[in-house]
Amino acid sequence: MSIDKKQAANIFEEIARLLELKGANQFRTRAYVGAARTLRSLDMELEELVDGNEKVKGIGASSMEKLRELVKTGKMEYYESLKAEFPEGVLDLMKIPRLGPKKVKVLYQQLNITSLDDLEKACEQDELLSLDGFGAKTQENILKGIKHVRQYKGRHLVRAAHVPAQEFLSHLQTLPEVLELDLAGSLRRRKETVKDIDIVVSTEEPKAVMNAFVNHPLVHEIIAHGDTKSSVTLDSGINIDLRTVTPEQYAYALLHFTGSKEHNTVMRSRAKDKGLKLNEYGLFRGEERIHASSEEEIYGLLDLPFIPPELREDHAEFSLAEGDGIPSLVTLEDLKGTFHAHTTYSDGSASLDEMAQAAMLQGLEYLGITDHSQTAYYAGGLNVYDIEKQHKEIDALNESYDNFRIFKGIESDILADGSLDYPEPVLASFDFIIASVHSQFNLTKDEMTQRIIKAIENPYTTMLGHPTGRLLLSRESYPIDMHKVIDAAIANGVIVEINANPHRLDIDWRLLQYAKEKGMLTSINPDAHSTEGINDMIYGVGIARKGGLQVGDVLNTLSLQDVASYLDERHPGR
Ligand code: DGT
Ligand code: CA
Ligand code: ZN
């Protein structure tokens, strides 16, 4: 049960908000805000802090006491009892952007609003207008905010699920009672965000498996403990559902719990058309159960080829299966190198050589370095002198490597008028350029689309970076016509990246079928800001697979030699 600094800081911040909601005096709330701030920038481990006798500026004796309890036991009594003083729905109200505790308090006390539903109704009936400090504009923003909170409530970035899921799979794998096991649900389908982790196990001894599961050290709370289904919450706040079935049921259960619900619905109606009935226990003709020992066999029984989990969204898979067939999808092993990585020259945490060595460890043959450009001063964007220095360093490193190359790139800001961030001779000095929008998001859809298309039309633009600017679970895409952007990219031979950072996963997979049919080329880019960041490529591969992409659709499946000649040919100055 370990709490990290960010989680601890979040708890202290929430205490401050709850106190404000209660009407506590400002000095008390400020103490908790201060403690949270200190925790965020703390440069020692939490254990070290609470075990030591050292005084730390910003954390008073009473906060330290509470922090110690939290670190040692995973719980803080004070925080729990404070939360218990309010209906749970009131805490949801506090998650609405720009609706601070003061306003929540008014809503709660004067209109008796205790949930998002209550608040939505009140806004729709213009009830907020009678309150001091609330106008029509506020009401409108609150309605938007409610949508935002609902959409994100209880969902997690895929990395936050993938990492513990791997841990549990390997743990369960070691149990002698476990015969077969796999991930299911949205995580197996590699959705961009997930509600929880689903695992299916086949066993003859479910009790033993369930006991081992609920007693795993990462488990924070047991929600349900049964013979066929158990649910737990991990320390990180994510839930795992484990289902145990007999070996005879396994293939059907795995298919069912992998979903999606929409995919299952189509499968059931296909079964029905054949006079059969499909559910999580089997495929039935009247009373007779038809045996299947793999998902592949079940698809076969319904006259379908095997459909990989990533495609099971009732998006394009059934028309593909019936038309050209299911393509063989790109895999992580197909990637020979990658682009879009930052170093200490801008806002990355590792040096050029460290990033290159990490890429080599992953078995890659090349890495395209793209630090930020000069306008991105907040991210340490490079001026012309930095670029010269970096290029010299890259030349020397490349000289020293066998069978590995760093490509010289830059992540150029797309300026408000659509131009790139350096004069032409500087642009010409790079092997390739990723053009990305990092500021001025508040344009109209037309303006933003035109701005990006202008950047695409620049002959020095090799790739478009994170095309919609969305940050999953925190920031919506700016308004943009992605179909026009894709068409322009194809017309200008520009690659549209799949940004594999779990916060982005941008371009969205739902657009990839269209893009592929039109002939768009992509590149699976980690947008790495550290050596570990390179590992994020795996999430981009999931997105490419969801979009039905194959080796030929992805630039960085090319060997070093082929990618080097591709970039040379694309370069307007060579
Ligand atoms: P999530 O958890 O929201 O990220 O998405 P899923 O797809 O993992 O959803 P979850 O965990 O509620 O359920 C896992 C799978 O179980 C789901 O993809 C399909 C199946 N399933 C669950 N409930 C239903 C249902 O009511 N009808 C059908 N046909 N399938 C269901
Ligand atoms: Ca799920
Ligand atoms: Zn960027």
Side-chain angles (χ1 to χ4, degrees):
M1 278 209 213
S2 71
I3 294 270
D4 64 30
K5 290 178 223 173
K6 204 165 125 197
Q7 288 168 322
N10 288 344
I11 288 176
F12 277 90
E13 261 164 24
E14 199 172 331
I15 291 174
R17 283 199 296 269
L18 289 167
L19 283 174
E20 206 173 324
L21 191 59
K22 263 182 78 161
N25 82 44
Q26 277 191 22
F27 296 101
R28 278 184 69 203
T29 60
R30 269 192 217 149
Y32 290 102
V33 173
R37 194 180 310 127
T38 306
L39 285 170
R40 281 189 203 286
S41 58
L42 192 69
D43 53 12
M44 63 174 121
E45 295 304 314
L46 279 181
E47 291 279 349
E48 227 178 300
L49 175 68
V50 300
D51 286 342
N53 292 320
E54 217 179 316
K55 278 224 170 71
V56 176
K57 204 167 157 263
I59 303 183
S62 132
S63 291
M64 186 62 98
E65 189 74 26
K66 295 185 174 79
L67 181 66
R68 191 170 295 128
E69 181 193 349
L70 182 66
V71 174
K72 296 292 175 197
T73 68
K75 266 209 163 88
M76 189 199 297
E77 205 43 58
Y78 178 68
Y79 169 60
E80 301 297 333
S81 67
L82 202 53
K83 273 202 297 192
E85 288 182 40
F86 301 94
E88 208 178 311
V90 172
L91 305 179
D92 286 341
L93 301 181
M94 306 248 272
K95 295 184 186 131
I96 297 175
R98 287 176 296 176
L99 190 70
K102 280 203 191 72
K103 283 206 161 79
V104 170
K105 192 172 161 194
V106 172
L107 293 169
Y108 173 46
Q109 291 183 338
Q110 300 195 19
L111 296 181
N112 196 26
I113 287 173
T114 60
S115 69
L116 293 175
D117 288 342
D118 287 353
L119 183 56
E120 188 173 39
K121 238 179 269 150
C123 286
E124 282 164 354
Q125 294 168 2
D126 278 345
E127 285 177 32
L128 271 54
L129 301 184
S130 65
L131 302 170
D132 273 354
F134 290 80
K137 188 83 199 156
T138 323
Q139 213 171 241
E140 204 179 296
N141 282 335
I142 289 177
L143 276 172
K144 269 192 215 147
I146 292 173
K147 245 179 84 189
H148 180 91
V149 175
R150 280 215 185 104
Q151 197 176 349
Y152 296 152
K153 199 180 162 196
R155 294 201 75 81
H156 303 267
L157 296 179
V158 60
R159 183 168 47 201
H162 179 84
V163 174
Q166 293 310 316
E167 161 73 31
F168 272 82
L169 285 176
S170 17
H171 176 66
L172 292 168
Q173 185 95 63
T174 62
L175 304 176
E177 295 86 0
V178 169
L179 303 171
E180 282 180 275
L181 86 168
D182 212 329
L183 269 181
S186 49
L187 192 56
R188 183 167 183 236
R189 302 198 312 279
R190 313 288 288 275
K191 272 288 288 285
E192 63 274 27
T193 62
V194 304
K195 180 191 70 195
D196 58 9
I197 299 166
D198 298 283
I199 298 176
V200 183
V201 161
S202 90
T203 179
E204 305 279 13
E205 292 168 77
K207 277 193 172 49
V209 176
M210 288 304 190
N211 282 334
F213 172 64
V214 300
N215 287 316
H216 189 283
L218 284 178
V219 169
H220 180 73
E221 195 183 345
I222 301 170
I223 301 164
H225 183 176
D227 276 356
T228 54
K229 181 179 172 184
S230 295
S231 295
V232 299
T233 306
L234 305 188
D235 291 338
S236 66
I238 197 165
N239 285 10
I240 308 187
D241 281 357
L242 175 68
R243 276 140 183 131
T244 52
V245 297
T246 63
E248 180 57 31
Q249 293 167 338
Y250 181 71
Y252 287 104
L254 181 61
L255 179 72
H256 173 83
F257 290 114
T258 297
S260 65
K261 234 180 247 177
E262 293 75 13
H263 179 86
N264 290 353
T265 304
V266 177
M267 292 290 281
R268 281 168 190 223
S269 84
R270 285 184 77 101
K272 212 169 156 204
D273 291 346
K274 292 177 152 306
L276 305 172
K277 186 171 178 271
L278 176 69
N279 61 28
E280 60 262 53
Y281 307 108
L283 184 64
F284 300 88
R285 185 180 288 114
E287 295 291 292
E288 178 212 356
R289 183 175 180 281
I290 304 172
H291 170 82
S293 55
S294 67
E295 287 184 320
E296 195 149 10
E297 275 182 49
I298 305 173
Y299 282 106
L301 289 166
L302 298 177
D303 300 328
L304 286 165
F306 177 74
I307 298 178
E310 293 90 340
L311 293 180
R312 300 181 195 169
E313 301 287 353
D314 190 20
H315 184 70
E317 70 272 30
F318 292 107
S319 57
L320 281 171
E322 259 141 35
D324 297 345
I326 299 289
S328 88
L329 305 176
V330 64
T331 66
L332 185 62
E333 292 69 41
D334 290 325
L335 302 188
K336 300 293 182 333
T338 196
F339 298 91
H340 203 158
H342 298 262
T343 71
T344 45
Y345 273 85
S346 66
D347 60 349
S349 65
S351 68
L352 275 172
D353 187 38
E354 284 165 344
M355 291 300 281
Q357 300 290 347
M360 282 179 230
L361 268 178
Q362 300 262 332
L364 302 181
E365 301 169 9
Y366 52 90
L367 178 66
I369 291 290
T370 51
D371 277 305
H372 284 286
S373 64
Q374 56 191 3
T375 295
Y377 57 87
Y378 51 86
L382 273 55
N383 63 32
V384 180
Y385 303 102
D386 299 329
I387 292 170
E388 259 178 46
K389 178 165 172 252
Q390 188 178 60
H391 286 183
K392 281 201 189 110
E393 195 182 334
I394 291 176
D395 286 336
L397 286 171
N398 279 338
E399 200 64 35
S400 74
Y401 298 147
D402 290 327
N403 310 318
F404 185 89
R405 178 164 162 192
I406 299 175
F407 287 107
K408 298 170 188 159
I410 195 88
E411 182 177 14
S412 170
D413 266 31
I414 299 176
L415 305 184
D417 69 354
S419 48
L420 298 186
D421 204 7
Y422 297 104
E424 186 166 341
V426 181
L427 295 177
S429 71
F430 298 104
D431 296 324
F432 74 103
I433 290 177
I434 300 181
S436 310
V437 167
H438 288 120
S439 59
Q440 284 165 300
F441 298 154
N442 56 345
L443 304 182
T444 66
K445 185 169 179 174
D446 264 0
E447 288 167 344
M448 189 58 101
T449 306
Q450 283 319 309
R451 173 187 182 186
I452 289 182
I453 289 178
K454 189 171 166 213
I456 286 173
E457 287 169 351
N458 189 311
Y460 289 98
T461 300
T462 324
M463 300 186 195
L464 177 64
H466 45 74
T468 77
R470 75 173 180 195
L471 291 177
L472 290 165
L473 306 185
S474 80
R475 184 174 81 201
E476 298 289 321
S477 152
Y478 34 70
I480 183 170
D481 185 335
M482 274 306 292
H483 289 94
K484 282 193 183 154
V485 167
I486 290 167
D487 294 347
I490 295 165
N492 291 279
V494 165
I495 291 156
V496 178
E497 81 171 1
I498 293 177
N499 189 298
N501 186 305
H503 289 278
R504 295 190 182 270
L505 300 175
D506 182 12
I507 184 173
D508 189 279
W509 59 268
R510 294 162 191 82
L511 288 161
L512 289 175
Q513 187 66 29
Y514 169 85
K516 177 187 165 73
E517 276 164 18
K518 290 255 174 165
M520 190 189 88
L521 193 58
T522 190
S523 177
I524 298 175
N525 296 347
D527 196 353
H529 286 74
S530 64
T531 53
E532 304 88 65
I534 297 175
N535 301 336
D536 287 343
M537 285 191 307
I538 188 172
Y539 307 116
V541 171
I543 294 303
R545 291 174 63 86
K546 289 193 82 58
L549 299 193
Q550 298 176 273
V551 165
D553 302 313
V554 182
L555 176 78
N556 53 327
T557 59
L558 293 183
S559 66
L560 171 55
Q561 202 183 353
D562 289 346
V563 95
S565 19
Y566 175 91
L567 292 178
D568 270 345
E569 273 166 42
R570 271 292 275 115
H571 198 289
R574 291 183 190 163

